[in-house]
Structure formats: structure tokens, C-alpha cells
Amino acid sequence: MGIPEERIERLETLARDAVRAGDEDRAREYVRLARRIAERHRLRLPRHFRRFTCDRCDAYLRPGVNARVRLQSGTVVVACDCGELARYPYR
């Protein structure tokens, strides 16, 4: 694993901890920075990171706190507080 991948993982951990501490603005900055690093190095973000960040407002999502998770006929629907919906299939 290279330095960019390690940095992205570290930023995800920092964003998760910042949301737990109640500092959502700092978590947004960590998410934005991780996305920029992935873009610059042409990397895919880890699945867990992609599924728990909002594409519209860059918030790190915590179900029950700033996100709502529902199951609908074969899909998981994650709704952010900003109104953005993300749908993921499941079996």
C-alpha cells in the first residue's frame, strides 16, 4: 500500500472521530481532502468511505445521527440531512 492510500485511510479515521466528537465541519474538510488526494493520484476511494460520505455536502455519515438508512426492495437507501439520496443494491 502506498502513501496516498495510507493517507486516505487516516483521513477517514479522522473524519469518523470528528463526527463522533460533534465537529462536522472538520469531518467535511477531511472528506474533501481525501477525495482530492484520490483524484490527484487516480485512486478509487475504499467502498466503506464512498458509502458513508455524502456526494453533495461531503459530510461523513453516521446512521441515526446525520443519516437515515432504509431498505427498499433490494436496495439500501441512505439519506443525508442535506436531502441527498444514495442507493446501493444488496442481495
Side-chain angles (χ1 to χ4, degrees):
M1 184 181 320
I3 293 172
E5 291 96 344
E6 290 175 9
R7 187 139 185 237
I8 289 169
E9 282 185 18
R10 178 69 179 141
L11 287 167
E12 179 184 6
T13 305
L14 290 171
R16 186 180 322 117
D17 293 342
V19 168
R20 283 184 187 151
D23 195 357
E24 293 188 18
D25 291 333
R26 180 171 295 203
R28 276 192 177 89
E29 287 303 315
Y30 291 144
V31 169
R32 286 184 187 122
L33 186 56
R35 285 187 174 163
R36 284 185 58 209
I37 290 169
E39 219 173 85
R40 184 178 306 130
H41 294 281
R42 295 183 181 180
L43 299 172
R44 277 186 75 123
L45 290 169
R47 176 182 282 181
H48 186 266
F49 190 86
R50 286 193 315 260
R51 297 244 171 132
F52 286 97
T53 55
C54 178
D55 289 336
R56 186 193 298 175
C57 68
D58 291 328
Y60 191 85
L61 303 175
R62 285 194 61 205
V65 177
N66 63 352
R68 191 179 70 203
V69 179
R70 299 287 186 257
L71 300 179
Q72 284 183 345
S73 64
T75 59
V76 178
V77 180
V78 181
C80 179
D81 282 346
C82 73
E84 181 74 6
L85 296 176
R87 292 179 173 88
Y88 307 107
Y90 76 94
R91 296 180 194 189

